[in-house]
Amino acid sequence: MKRYLLPIWHVTAILLVLVAAPSAHACSPMKVIGVYFDRDSATVSAAQVSRLANWMADLRARYPSHESIDISASAEPGEQSPSNLAMERARNVARVLRENLQFDGVKIYLPDQGYVKKSVSAYLKQLEKSQGVRAVQLDFLPACPHECSCQAGAPLYEPKAPAQ
C-alpha cells in the first residue's frame, strides 16, 4: 500500500489559506434570561421578580432604545395541564414586565402555544431542585445602536458618515 504525503510547501500553503480566510463572526445583540417557577405553579416569585428587575435595569442602562422581548414558555412532563401552564407562565411574566417593572415601551411577544419539555438530565434535575423549573425564557432585542453592526432598514439605523 502506497502512502501519499503532501510536500511541506503544500501543507504550509493550505494552512496560510485557512488562517488568512476572513472568518465570519456572528454578532447577536440578543440578551437572554430564564425565569424559574415552582413545579405546577405559574406564580412569578418575589425572587424572580427581583432578578427580572435587576436584569431590566441593566438593559435600560446599556441600551437607550428597545426593539422587542420574545417570550417562550414551557412546562415539564407530569405538571398539571402542561401546555396551559406554560402559557399562563408566559402571560404572568409579561404582566410583571408591564405592570410591576413598567417596561411598557417595548413590544412583548407571547408565544402562540407553550411546549412540554423533554425529560432532563440528572445534572439539570439537581439544578432545578435548587432554583425551580426553568419555564420561561426572555429574549431581549435592543434597537440600534448596539454592539453589533446595524443594518439598513433596522429601527434607528444611522448610516456612517462618509470619511472626510
Side-chain angles (χ1 to χ4, degrees):
M1 188 156 120
K2 215 176 192 183
R3 294 202 309 175
Y4 293 96
L5 296 175
L6 291 175
I8 191 72
W9 67 272
H10 278 148
V11 174
T12 305
I14 291 169
L15 287 174
L16 284 174
V17 167
L18 290 175
V19 170
S23 59
H25 295 287
C27 184
S28 174
M30 191 79 66
K31 306 301 173 208
V32 178
I33 190 171
V35 180
Y36 296 86
F37 291 84
D38 290 332
R39 189 164 181 78
D40 290 317
S41 174
T43 302
V44 184
S45 70
Q48 294 303 301
V49 171
S50 178
R51 280 184 67 239
L52 283 171
N54 290 333
W55 187 65
M56 299 307 278
D58 181 53
L59 294 176
R60 284 181 175 134
R62 291 175 63 195
Y63 304 105
S65 301
H66 314 116
E67 181 65 25
S68 66
I69 295 177
D70 290 300
I71 297 177
S72 60
S74 66
E76 290 188 344
E79 288 192 284
Q80 296 176 350
S81 188
S83 189
N84 292 336
L85 180 62
M87 287 304 295
E88 190 176 351
R89 288 171 171 168
R91 285 189 293 271
N92 287 346
V93 169
R95 190 175 302 117
V96 165
L97 292 175
R98 287 187 183 115
E99 295 173 11
N100 298 67
L101 303 178
Q102 280 83 42
F103 208 74
D104 50 3
V106 65
K107 297 174 213 148
I108 298 176
Y109 296 104
L110 290 170
D112 293 331
Q113 64 184 29
Y115 67 95
V116 181
K117 289 196 254 183
K118 295 179 182 176
S119 297
V120 296
S121 69
Y123 170 75
L124 290 177
K125 282 184 182 179
Q126 282 300 110
L127 182 63
E128 288 179 347
K129 281 183 182 177
S130 65
Q131 293 185 307
V133 177
R134 180 176 178 212
V136 171
Q137 178 173 306
L138 303 175
D139 298 324
F140 171 82
L141 178 62
C144 292
H146 49 68
E147 61 268 20
C148 298
S149 314
C150 292
Q151 298 177 358
L156 302 179
Y157 169 76
E158 293 180 18
K160 294 180 180 175
Q164 295 182 15

